[in-house]
């Protein structure tokens, strides 16, 4: 009897003790269980014959609930069957007119619209891979991105036809087939596609047309501005896409959910988490061309949205709108994303009600993902002993002034202490591979860090500074020196400087991101430049060059002209001091300029402009 009492008492007290001493024990456990479950689903799908892909998952849903709404865009709604039929037509047209066959790569150059989705499905049906070009890029960047995926066909949205025309001669030199999603287009060398799709038959493409696809075959190429240089294509192969399929279902998203996608589909967050995630779970997608702060909640109410995606700025923009009585009148239960600041996170919950915010961390091409599953505000995830052993990542001490990891006397890196900010690296192994960038061995090598803890080991350099606190919560802190984030996009500083130095009056350019003010996410672009001898700074030419070659978020909004640029002992440009000095004319003694979009020119930076920016009257 006594033993029984003790047992009962013990059983009752253990959870109490756990709660007291290991407050996250149960959420850690439940996370591990859902992770294990996802892994089993993944492993089962991995073993299916013939090979099971995201497309097959789409077919399953199209067969189970053909009339269920798959996609809503503006006033149009498409069921699973509609999407299946439209992509059949698209596939037939592409097969016939572009001569596509299994294994080919096609570049998609379009913004968020249903055709993007149908094109991708069509390409999957044909066994082709898609390179998702950023629809903001133009000219040299466009050509660069197109060239690095090895595509022989490009499909452009009708509103981007003119941007393709600008680079047409170079495309023609390489015998690239160019299609515009319009019914009429008069430029020779560019073919229309919309009319051909309309004429095509709704006939399924047989499985045999894609029978040679393996798990190693490329599924999509997604461009990242990683840490250095021009954008690079990260290869997402079929296996990775299949594994990514589990991310959303492990977030308990189901067929009943309605997902609101306003992030660009050419990014991993929008495409993999949002779009592929909904295919996997059989949910409904409400697709937006762009994020609109004024339409956000009305859209959510109108479509009964249950899941939203965000990047840091999105939640802040939402919090900055005037309060309304119906702020809590919606059905959103889950927000998935990354980059939200703790104060915004709190305010968002206060204002819009009990929405579960799941912050996650992961690089498109990286080999490690963190997920906040405990409700700790501000954290991107948690360090769990078993996962650490499995994935072998570490936060190592980093010297931000020299822009390189700190090494001990034996040349090895040193793990950062609890609570100390350092560089996140993760060991490249079979279970966490790093495939690198397509046709860019040099950039791939740059992301590899050698001899980290042992001679000969290789780690993936995330380029992200992180901190792990004493309770094992993981926090994202910043990007390392040669990249910064602005408006949710990574800006690679070397890419911008390469473009600035194309100008005949610029000798050197040092590009960096500066904080606008306390509490603002991201950093805005700024450049310190030197002029060539006997050359003048040309404000208008500078503006038109920058506007032509760089997307809005990457253009330096501030410029300072220096006599010479400081460099470090290792010949890297010094940024730390420049970043600290920012764009305040009271601090910066050099000639200082501001990119004024209305005037289509750079203008002299004045104390007035500075105070208008600080008071928020000039929006950046
Ligand atoms: C949203 O839900 C309400 C109540 O259940 C329903 O009447 C309405 O038709 C739904 N709207 C959409 C677009 O599904
Ligand atoms: C799964 C989970 O618990 N996620 C949490 C992430 O953090 C937010 C912030 O409080 C919580 O609300 C979520 O519940």
């Amino acid at each position: 009897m006594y033993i029984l009492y003790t047992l009962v008492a013990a059983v009752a007290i253990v959870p109490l003790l756990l709660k007291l001493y290991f407050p996250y024990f149960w959420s850690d456990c439940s996370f591990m269980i859902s992770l294990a479950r996802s892994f089993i689903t993944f492993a089962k799908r991995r073993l299916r014959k013939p090979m099971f892909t995201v497309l097959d998952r789409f077919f399953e849903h199209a067969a189970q609930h053909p009339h269920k709404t798959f996609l809503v865009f503006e006033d149009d709604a498409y069921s699973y069957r509609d999407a299946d039929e439209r992509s059949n037509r698209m596939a037939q047209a592409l097969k016939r007119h572009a001569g596509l066959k299994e294994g080919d790569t096609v570049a998609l150059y379009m913004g968020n619209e249903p055709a993007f989705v149908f094109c991708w499905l069509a390409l999957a049906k044909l066994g082709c891979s898609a390179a998702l070009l950023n629809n903001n890029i133009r000219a040299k960047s466009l050509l660069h991105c197109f060239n690095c995926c090895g595509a022989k066909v490009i499909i452009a949205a009708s509103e981007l036809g003119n941007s393709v025309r600008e680079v047409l001669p170079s495309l023609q030199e390489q015998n690239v087939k160019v299609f515009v999603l319009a019914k009429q287009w008069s430029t020779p060398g560019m073919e229309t596609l919309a009319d051909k799709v309309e004429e095509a038959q709704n006939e399924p493409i047989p499985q045999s047309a894609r029978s040679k696809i393996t798990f190693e075959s490329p599924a999509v190429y997604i461009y990242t501005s990683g840490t250095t240089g021009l954008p690079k294509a990260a290869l997402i192969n079929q296996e990775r896409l299949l594994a990514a399929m589990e991310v959303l279902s492990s977030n308990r998203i189901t067929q009943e959910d309605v997902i609101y996608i306003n992030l660009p589909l050419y990014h991993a967050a929008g495409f993999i988490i949002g779009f592929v995630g909904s295919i996997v779970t059989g949910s409904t997608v409400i697709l937006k061309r762009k994020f609109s702060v004024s339409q956000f909640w009305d859209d959510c109410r109108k479509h009964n949205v249950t899941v939203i995606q965000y990047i840091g700025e999105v939640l802040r923009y939402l919090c900055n709108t005037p309060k309304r009585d119906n702020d809590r009148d919606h059905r959103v239960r889950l927000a998935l994303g990354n980059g939200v600041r703790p104060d915004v996170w709190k305010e968002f919950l206060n204002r819009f009600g009990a929405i579960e915010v799941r912050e996650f961390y992961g690089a498109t091409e990286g080999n490690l993902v963190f997920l906040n599953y405990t409700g700790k505000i501000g954290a991107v995830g948690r360090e769990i002993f078993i996962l650490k052993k499995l994935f072998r990542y570490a936060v190592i001490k980093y010297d931000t002034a020299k822009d390189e990891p700190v090494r001990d006397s034996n040349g090895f890196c040193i793990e950062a202490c609890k609570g100390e900010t350092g560089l996140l690296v993760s060991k490249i192994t079979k279970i966490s591979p790093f495939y690198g960038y397509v046709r860019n061995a040099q950039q791939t090598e740059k992301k590899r860090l050698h001899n980290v803890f042992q001679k000969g080991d290789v780690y993936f350099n995330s380029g992200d500074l992180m901190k792990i606190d004493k309770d094992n919560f993981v926090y994202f802190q910043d990007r390392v020196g040669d990249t910064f984030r602005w408006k949710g996009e990574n800006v690679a500083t070397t890419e911008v400087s390469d473009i600035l130095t194309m100008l005949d009056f610029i000798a050197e350019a040092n590009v960096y991101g500066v904080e606008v003010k306390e509490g603002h996410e991201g950093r805005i672009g700024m450049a310190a430049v030197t002029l060539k001898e006997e050359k003048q700074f040309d404000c208008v030419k500078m503006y038109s060059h920058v506007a032509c070659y760089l997307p809005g978020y990457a253009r330096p909004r501030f410029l300072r002209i220096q006599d010479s640029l400081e460099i470090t002992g290792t010949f890297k440009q010094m940024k730390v001091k420049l970043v600290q000095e920012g764009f305040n004319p009271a601090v910066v003694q050099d000639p200082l300029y501001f990119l004024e979009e209305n005037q289509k020119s750079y203008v002299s930076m004045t104390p007035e402009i500075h105070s208008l920016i600080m008071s928020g009257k000039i929006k950046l």
Side-chain angles (χ1 to χ4, degrees):
M1 206 57 197
Y2 176 75
I3 293 173
L4 194 65
Y5 276 133
T6 328
L7 255 178
V8 169
V11 168
I13 215 159
V14 163
L16 263 176
L17 285 178
L18 279 176
K19 200 159 174 62
L20 214 58
Y21 293 104
F22 302 96
Y24 303 103
F25 181 79
W26 294 116
S27 44
D28 284 353
C29 278
S30 95
F31 177 66
M32 293 299 290
I33 290 168
S34 76
L35 207 64
R37 237 189 246 138
S38 303
F39 185 76
I40 292 168
T41 323
F42 169 71
K44 273 198 205 142
R45 285 189 176 146
R46 179 87 172 66
L47 289 174
R48 277 169 65 162
K49 296 256 159 22
M51 205 184 97
F52 187 82
T53 63
V54 173
L55 179 66
D56 296 299
R57 186 72 183 139
F58 173 80
F59 287 144
E60 286 183 353
H61 289 298
Q64 274 166 24
H65 39 80
H67 302 296
K68 183 175 176 209
T69 309
F70 170 54
L71 182 68
V72 178
F73 182 76
E74 293 170 359
D75 294 325
D76 299 320
Y78 304 88
S79 65
Y80 274 84
R81 173 165 296 166
D82 294 336
D84 191 26
E85 293 183 358
R86 279 179 188 252
S87 51
N88 282 344
R89 285 215 178 85
M90 180 77 82
Q92 295 292 356
L94 284 171
K95 189 170 133 196
R96 175 133 180 251
H97 298 278
L100 288 182
K101 51 179 200 317
E102 190 170 4
D104 288 343
T105 302
V106 174
L108 295 186
Y109 184 45
M110 47 182 105
N112 284 8
E113 56 169 313
F116 188 114
V117 171
F118 304 144
C119 270
W120 187 76
L121 284 170
L123 293 174
K125 288 177 175 182
L126 291 167
C128 298
S129 51
L132 312 180
L133 299 178
N134 178 332
N135 61 337
N136 294 302
I137 58 170
R138 301 285 181 273
K140 185 184 161 205
S141 298
L142 173 58
L143 274 179
H144 164 82
C145 288
F146 177 81
N147 288 339
C148 63
C149 67
K152 282 285 163 232
V153 176
I154 181 169
I155 305 174
S158 57
E159 75 274 11
L160 293 169
N162 288 332
S163 310
V164 177
R165 182 161 50 202
E166 287 172 18
V167 297
L168 193 61
S170 308
L171 294 175
Q172 281 177 324
E173 256 169 44
Q174 309 171 49
N175 291 322
V176 174
K177 280 212 167 83
V178 181
F179 289 94
V180 188
L181 267 170
K183 287 190 183 157
Q184 285 180 334
W185 196 267
S186 57
T187 317
M190 294 173 72
E191 284 189 57
T192 55
L193 187 59
D195 52 338
K196 301 189 170 86
V197 173
E198 231 165 59
E199 286 159 19
Q201 299 290 319
N202 163 30
E203 213 171 282
I205 302 284
Q207 153 78 29
S208 60
R210 48 183 179 274
S211 58
K212 291 194 210 72
I213 299 288
T214 67
F215 282 111
E216 278 71 47
S217 307
V220 279
Y221 296 92
I222 294 186
Y223 291 82
T224 79
S225 291
T227 13
T228 45
L230 286 161
K232 301 169 289 285
L235 165 66
I236 313 285
N237 65 19
Q238 296 286 355
E239 179 167 41
R240 264 205 89 173
L241 210 54
L242 193 68
M245 281 170 55
E246 291 313 317
V247 173
L248 266 204
S249 26
S250 75
N251 281 295
R252 295 191 300 269
I253 292 175
T254 69
Q255 270 185 36
E256 310 308 317
D257 279 304
V258 179
I259 305 180
Y260 189 63
I261 303 186
N262 54 37
L263 303 182
L265 285 175
Y266 60 76
H267 264 338
F271 185 80
I272 298 184
I273 311 283
F275 170 64
V276 171
S278 353
I279 292 187
V280 174
T281 50
S283 325
T284 297
V285 172
I286 313 296
L287 186 67
K288 285 293 280 185
R289 195 173 280 281
K290 265 200 174 101
F291 168 69
S292 153
V293 71
S294 58
Q295 293 163 12
F296 192 94
W297 292 111
D298 289 337
D299 281 342
C300 289
R301 280 185 276 271
K302 180 169 160 202
H303 299 290
N304 295 335
V305 168
T306 57
V307 179
I308 57 173
Q309 272 193 291
Y310 67 87
I311 46 171
E313 294 79 355
V314 164
L315 299 193
R316 181 163 56 83
Y317 294 151
L318 293 174
C319 288
N320 283 351
T321 54
K323 286 206 164 65
R324 289 202 296 194
D325 293 340
N326 60 357
D327 274 348
R328 285 170 177 244
D329 170 20
H330 61 75
R331 297 193 190 172
V332 177
R333 63 169 183 86
L334 179 65
L336 267 180
N338 54 54
V340 62
R341 293 225 176 183
D343 51 333
V344 176
W345 188 327
K346 278 185 205 142
E347 192 185 334
F348 182 78
L349 295 180
N350 274 338
R351 172 139 173 218
F352 299 106
I355 297 171
E356 186 181 333
V357 178
R358 278 205 167 191
E359 178 87 348
F360 66 85
Y361 165 86
T364 311
E365 73 281 36
N367 55 358
L368 179 69
V369 176
F370 285 118
L371 186 75
N372 147 41
Y373 51 89
T374 51
K376 178 80 171 181
I377 288 191
V380 294
R382 244 171 94 60
E383 170 159 291
I384 301 179
F385 181 70
I386 307 174
L387 289 187
K388 183 157 191 214
K389 276 274 161 287
L390 207 57
F391 292 106
R392 316 279 287 279
Y393 62 88
V395 173
I396 56 174
K397 285 184 193 280
Y398 194 76
D399 183 335
T400 42
K402 284 201 201 138
D403 226 354
E404 58 189 31
V406 177
R407 299 216 177 228
D408 64 14
S409 53
N410 299 320
F412 294 123
C413 298
I414 311 160
E415 213 164 329
C417 310
K418 284 271 149 91
E420 184 189 3
T421 299
L423 177 72
L424 177 72
V425 295
S426 61
K427 192 159 187 184
I428 299 174
T429 61
K430 254 216 164 96
I431 59 162
S432 47
F434 167 56
Y435 297 107
Y437 306 109
V438 187
R439 301 184 176 195
N440 202 334
Q442 194 196 352
Q443 294 298 342
T444 301
E445 190 47 41
K446 275 199 167 161
K447 295 297 279 182
R448 293 197 173 118
L449 199 59
H450 294 270
N451 306 326
V452 175
F453 294 120
Q454 271 171 13
K455 228 174 167 49
D457 64 5
V458 189
Y459 278 67
F460 171 73
N461 178 350
S462 70
D464 289 321
L465 298 176
M466 316 278 279
K467 182 177 87 179
I468 299 179
D469 74 5
K470 61 175 184 4
D471 294 323
N472 293 330
F473 284 101
V474 183
Y475 299 84
F476 172 81
Q477 302 293 95
D478 208 345
R479 304 275 304 166
V480 296
D482 37 15
T483 340
F484 57 90
R485 266 175 96 75
W486 181 244
K487 305 216 162 165
E489 302 272 356
N490 283 332
V491 181
T493 57
T494 44
E495 176 189 351
V496 180
S497 8
D498 284 351
I499 284 172
L500 296 185
T501 47
M502 284 160 68
L503 280 159
D504 62 355
F505 52 87
I506 300 285
E508 295 167 291
N510 183 1
V511 176
Y512 48 96
V514 289
E515 259 189 353
V516 178
K517 54 185 160 192
E518 196 89 10
H520 230 270
E521 296 83 9
R523 293 163 185 274
I524 192 162
M526 178 157 184
V529 297
T530 58
L531 300 180
K532 285 197 184 147
E533 252 173 70
E534 323 231 317
K535 293 276 186 185
Q536 298 291 321
F537 179 66
D538 183 335
C539 295
V540 175
K541 202 161 166 195
M542 183 84 193
Y543 173 86
S544 57
H545 180 76
V546 161
C548 165
Y549 282 101
L550 291 169
Y553 55 80
R555 297 177 192 157
R557 288 304 294 269
F558 304 100
L559 270 179
R560 60 190 282 183
I561 300 181
Q562 298 192 297
D563 295 331
S564 65
L565 298 182
E566 265 183 280
I567 51 170
T568 66
T570 46
F571 301 103
K572 284 185 188 150
Q573 291 172 332
M574 286 286 252
K575 299 195 199 244
V576 177
K577 194 160 144 240
L578 293 169
V579 169
Q580 277 165 3
E581 291 180 352
F583 55 88
N584 185 350
V587 176
V588 177
Q589 298 305 314
D590 304 322
L592 190 61
Y593 292 88
F594 171 59
L595 184 158
E596 172 56 86
E597 260 164 13
N598 301 329
Q599 293 182 32
K600 299 202 175 309
S601 176
Y602 279 86
V603 298
S604 272
M605 179 76 182
T606 59
E608 290 73 52
I609 298 183
H610 185 260
S611 66
L612 288 174
I613 292 172
M614 296 325 272
S615 65
K617 293 215 176 70
I618 293 184
K619 295 243 182 317
L620 297 178

